[in-house]
């Protein structure tokens, strides 16, 4: 049985659909609230839904053999796992955003609010810019509006939330999409099964 | 008491068996000091898996560090002179734990063969690595790689030096989509990028993968790498030995065969090693060297 960790939420639903299309159907996702785990013995898989930021933890520690997780979380936490496939789902961008007319005059330490503090720190370190990183867990767009920070680093999908709040994307840090990851030890013992899953998912992605 | 061995815990018994294995092949126990000068580790930072150290000022004002690694100390203190040095150690090292929030005392056992090493010594050390994980009696895999294979290919493809780190990072995480991007940023042609992806993503049962690896050889460096891997695994059980080019070490230190050991059901590798002639050169020591470390906490499941 291959243990597969999926992220709760919209991305999890999309991936569940993709897995079903790739021959790894495992029950109805609506059942998972009750059952916690969905199995398909024939296909040899067991699915479970966890918080998106926990997927890589389950995989790194071997509780899940493989998982599906956003590149944003992989880049933020840099877990020691294999990154086998770009699923091209849940596409968005990691961006620096702020007031539309913001100009960095370089005179003072920038205050940057973000859920992705490691990505933000590394990005500004690569520019040699001194920043104060303010860790927030949600509603990041609020920070510049209330003067908590000058800028934010966050994922941007359509940009509508930013626009509604008179904010704009100022710089793009990296593109983000969902990735198939695998535990390094599991891969060595079950490379056939994991390789098959990767190939079928790749075909399903290409067919979309 | 009839049998003193009965009072040993399974972990102690494992260490004793490993000592027996190493002593039988003529390896002698090396004991190292608990700390070295901080700057020694600073100078060799890229060999260490992490740059965080426990440091303190000694009574004479020198900045010291609790050792995060034993191999560097062995090369500095024990290598040199005539002939071969065959050593093993059982020591604690101090590194951040896997969550990176605290330092941990990690119990490590390792073996090093230094000096005029040749084909015989390389095979012997690889076999000892194989036997070491085998004696846990759990299903295991030993995966091997060779620094020269991918390095030779990158030289053949004329990949600029400053672009290699990004490529190696993608190979280490078996990330084909990242590799394609890194290859295009390095200015590789489509055929060059495809060849790199094919070679870098090779992994699986040793004999089959080595055949495929041989078919992609582009220069003598790659050829030598394939031949050395084939020689090193002679006589080992093909079902348990894999070739996997995601295993790699820093070229400043490692120069040849690399290998990693895995036990089923564990979340991390239990053994890691390789040939590190370049480190010997860097530290002005004669000859080459090969060795490995066994992570006892992982191996014994503590």
């Amino acid at each position: 049985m291959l243990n597969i960790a999926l992220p709760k939420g919209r991305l999890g639903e999309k991936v569940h659909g993709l897995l079903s299309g790739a021959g790894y159907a495992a029950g109805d996702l609506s059942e998972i609230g009750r059952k916690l785990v969905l199995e398909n013995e024939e296909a040899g898989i067991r699915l479970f839904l966890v918080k998106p930021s926990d997927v890589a933890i389950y995989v790194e520690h071997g509780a899940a053999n493989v998982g599906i997780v956003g590149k944003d979380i992989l880049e933020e936490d840099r877990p020691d796992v294999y990154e086998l496939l770009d699923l091209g789902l849940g596409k968005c961008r990691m961006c620096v955003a702020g007031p539309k007319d913001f100009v960095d005059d370089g005179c003072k330490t920038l205050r940057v609010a973000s859920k992705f503090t490691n990505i933000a720190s590394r990005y500004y370190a690569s520019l040699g810019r001194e920043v104060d990183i303010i860790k927030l867990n949600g509603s990041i767009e609020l920070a510049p509006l209330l003067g908590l920070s000058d800028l934010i680093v966050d994922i941007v999908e359509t940009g509508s939330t930013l626009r509604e709040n008179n904010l704009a994307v100022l710089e793009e840090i990296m593109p983000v999409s969902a990735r198939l990851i695998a535990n390094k030890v599991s891969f060595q013992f079950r490379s056939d099964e994991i390789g098959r899953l990767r190939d079928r998912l790749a075909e399903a992605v290409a067919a979309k | 008491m009839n049998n003193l061995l009965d009072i040993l815990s399974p972990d102690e018994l494992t260490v004793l068996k490993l000592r027996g294995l190493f002593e039988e092949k003529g390896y002698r126990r090396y004991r190292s000091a608990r700390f070295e000068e901080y700057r020694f580790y600073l100078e060799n930072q890229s060999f260490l898996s992490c740059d965080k150290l426990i440091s303190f000022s000694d009574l004479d004002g020198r900045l010291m560090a609790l050792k995060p690694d034993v191999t560097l100390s062995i090369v500095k203190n024990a290598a040199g002179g005539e002939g071969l040095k065959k050593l093993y150690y059982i020591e604690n090292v101090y590194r951040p734990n896997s969550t990176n929030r605290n330092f941990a005392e990690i119990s490590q056992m390792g073996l090093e063969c230094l000096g005029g090493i040749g084909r015989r010594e390389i095979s012997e050390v690889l076999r000892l690595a194989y036997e070491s994980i085998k004696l846990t009696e759990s299903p295991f895999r030993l995966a091997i790689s060779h620094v020269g294979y991918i390095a030779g290919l990158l030289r053949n493809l004329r990949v600029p030096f400053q672009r290699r780190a990004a490529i190696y990072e993608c190979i280490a995480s078996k990330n084909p989509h990242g590799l394609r991007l890194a290859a295009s940023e390095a200015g590789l042609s489509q055929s060059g990028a495809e060849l790199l992806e094919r070679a870098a993503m090779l992994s699986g049962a040793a004999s089959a993968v080595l055949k495929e690896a041989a078919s992609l050889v582009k220069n003598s460096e790659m050829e030598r790498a394939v031949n050395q891997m084939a020689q090193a695994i002679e006589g080992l059980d093909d079902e348990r030995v894999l070739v996997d080019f995601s295993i790699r070490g820093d070229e400043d230190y490692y120069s040849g065969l690399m290998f990693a050991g895995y036990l089923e059901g564990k979340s991390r590798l239990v053994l890691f090693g390789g040939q590190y002639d370049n480190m010997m050169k860097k530290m002005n020591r004669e000859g080459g060297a090969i060795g490995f470390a066994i992570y006892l906490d992982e191996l014994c499941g503590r």
Side-chain angles (χ1 to χ4, degrees):
Chain A
M1 259 312 166
L2 211 53
N3 283 338
I4 307 178
L6 297 186
K8 271 184 192 162
R10 244 185 326 160
L11 180 59
E13 288 164 22
K14 282 187 192 166
V15 173
H16 184 264
L18 195 67
L19 281 169
S20 302
Y24 292 93
D28 187 344
L29 211 54
S30 58
E31 288 180 306
I32 208 156
R34 223 161 13 90
K35 284 187 171 172
L36 295 177
V37 173
L38 297 175
E39 273 186 18
N40 176 346
E41 259 182 60
E42 212 174 300
I45 57 154
R46 187 183 288 136
L47 296 181
F48 47 92
L49 280 180
V50 298
K51 212 174 156 190
S53 53
D54 289 345
V55 168
I57 298 172
Y58 276 83
V59 175
E60 187 178 13
H61 291 266
N65 306 113
V66 298
I68 280 127
V69 63
K71 182 67 179 172
D72 50 339
I73 292 161
L74 283 182
E75 195 55 29
E76 174 68 12
D77 298 338
R78 296 200 167 166
D80 190 19
V81 295
Y82 292 134
E83 183 186 327
L84 302 176
L85 181 68
D86 182 351
L87 295 173
L89 292 177
K91 275 191 181 168
C92 52
R93 300 169 294 157
M94 181 67 66
C95 295
V96 177
K100 269 187 274 187
D101 49 0
F102 181 84
V103 180
D104 179 13
D105 58 10
C107 291
K108 64 177 182 85
T109 303
L110 270 183
R111 292 170 307 151
V112 179
S114 186
K115 195 158 69 172
F116 302 95
T117 52
N118 293 331
I119 292 177
S121 305
R122 282 196 295 262
Y123 176 69
Y124 283 103
S126 76
L127 300 176
R129 183 71 173 95
E130 203 174 323
V131 288
D132 268 343
I133 306 283
I134 300 162
K135 161 91 181 169
L136 290 178
N137 297 302
S139 305
I140 318 288
E141 296 88 357
L142 210 53
L145 301 181
L146 297 180
L148 175 61
S149 73
D150 302 308
L151 299 171
I152 61 171
V153 166
D154 203 9
I155 43 175
V156 177
E157 208 173 325
T158 59
S160 57
T161 318
L162 291 177
R163 276 192 298 278
E164 281 163 24
N165 291 293
N166 282 322
L167 300 171
V169 170
L170 303 176
E171 287 147 69
E172 188 177 321
I173 299 179
M174 59 172 207
V176 171
S177 56
R179 310 293 160 100
L180 171 69
I181 58 170
N183 174 272
K184 290 190 164 181
V185 181
S186 296
F187 187 88
Q188 302 297 357
F189 285 91
R190 312 175 70 166
S191 58
D192 289 350
E193 276 168 275
I194 296 175
R196 199 158 45 236
L197 173 71
R198 177 197 56 204
D199 294 346
R200 286 207 200 155
L201 278 175
E203 283 166 23
V205 167
K208 274 182 85 114
Chain B
M1 199 173 292
N2 292 333
N3 191 352
L4 270 174
L5 290 180
D6 291 345
I7 63 167
L8 293 180
S9 68
D11 303 1
E12 288 169 324
L13 204 57
T14 303
V15 171
L16 198 64
K17 284 182 190 165
L18 287 168
R19 289 189 61 180
L21 186 66
F22 299 165
E23 295 263 353
E24 197 189 338
K25 288 285 176 191
Y27 288 77
R28 295 290 165 255
R29 184 161 178 187
Y30 172 87
R31 286 170 201 270
S32 78
R34 200 153 288 172
F35 30 86
E36 293 271 4
E37 280 201 60
Y38 184 85
R39 62 167 189 195
F40 173 59
Y41 296 118
L42 209 59
E43 284 160 11
N44 294 291
Q45 209 183 73
S46 55
F47 177 73
L48 303 170
S49 51
C50 176
D51 58 359
K52 295 184 181 75
L53 302 172
I54 304 180
S55 61
F56 65 96
S57 290
D58 211 341
L59 296 178
D60 57 6
R62 284 181 307 158
L63 188 59
M64 308 296 285
L66 259 65
K67 63 177 185 311
D69 165 89
V70 186
T71 306
L72 283 168
S73 301
I74 291 186
V75 172
K76 181 168 78 77
N77 302 326
E82 293 283 302
L84 276 178
K85 292 259 163 59
K86 295 169 82 168
L87 304 166
Y88 73 92
Y89 61 84
I90 312 162
E91 301 276 346
N92 288 335
V93 295
Y94 303 87
R95 292 182 193 161
N97 65 11
S98 52
T99 59
N100 252 329
R101 291 208 184 93
N102 304 94
F103 276 101
E105 188 175 48
I106 298 163
S107 136
Q108 191 171 306
M109 195 160 173
L111 175 144
E112 317 287 350
C113 184
L114 311 118
I117 61 161
R119 186 177 156 178
R120 202 178 121 199
E121 286 73 28
I122 292 171
S123 296
E124 179 180 279
V125 170
L126 191 71
R127 175 165 280 277
L128 283 169
Y130 178 92
E131 297 292 341
S132 295
I133 26 175
K134 192 179 173 191
L135 63 75
T136 60
E137 291 171 10
S138 303
F140 70 94
R141 295 287 182 272
L142 183 70
I144 67 161
S145 169
H146 195 293
V147 174
Y149 189 73
I150 299 296
L153 182 56
L154 294 185
R155 268 184 267 279
N156 178 265
L157 294 171
R158 299 180 194 286
V159 174
F161 191 73
Q162 66 275 19
R163 295 287 181 187
R164 290 183 192 170
I167 288 178
Y168 276 126
E169 204 178 300
C170 295
I171 297 175
S173 59
K174 291 191 184 289
N175 173 348
H177 42 279
L179 185 62
R180 284 193 282 273
L181 190 67
S184 107
E185 283 169 356
L188 291 192
S189 65
Q190 195 178 338
S191 62
E194 278 166 12
L195 173 64
L196 176 62
E197 185 181 334
R198 241 183 103 194
M201 296 299 153
L202 284 177
S203 74
S207 53
V209 174
L210 279 180
K211 255 184 225 152
E212 209 176 333
S215 73
L216 302 176
V217 159
K218 291 289 163 208
N219 55 20
S220 58
E221 193 176 358
M222 293 176 80
E223 191 178 356
R224 198 166 51 241
V226 173
N227 290 340
Q228 283 183 0
M229 284 191 283
Q231 285 165 6
I233 58 167
E234 267 172 27
L236 299 181
D237 179 1
D238 194 50
E239 273 185 24
R240 298 196 171 87
V241 181
L242 312 169
V243 170
D244 184 338
F245 291 113
S246 74
I247 301 163
R248 72 169 294 267
D250 194 303
E251 258 187 280
D252 283 350
Y253 297 90
Y254 291 102
S255 53
L257 194 72
M258 304 286 310
F259 45 95
Y262 304 88
L263 283 183
E264 192 164 30
K266 303 280 174 186
S267 59
R268 294 190 175 78
L269 50 84
V270 295
L271 180 149
F272 184 78
Q275 189 180 349
Y276 50 93
D277 297 3
N278 293 347
M279 189 209 289
M280 296 284 277
K281 247 180 250 156
K282 206 172 146 118
M283 293 209 213
N284 292 319
R285 299 291 186 269
E286 292 276 318
I290 182 167
F292 59 85
I294 301 170
Y295 309 113
L296 291 173
D297 295 341
E298 296 287 341
L299 188 81
C300 303
R302 271 178 282 173

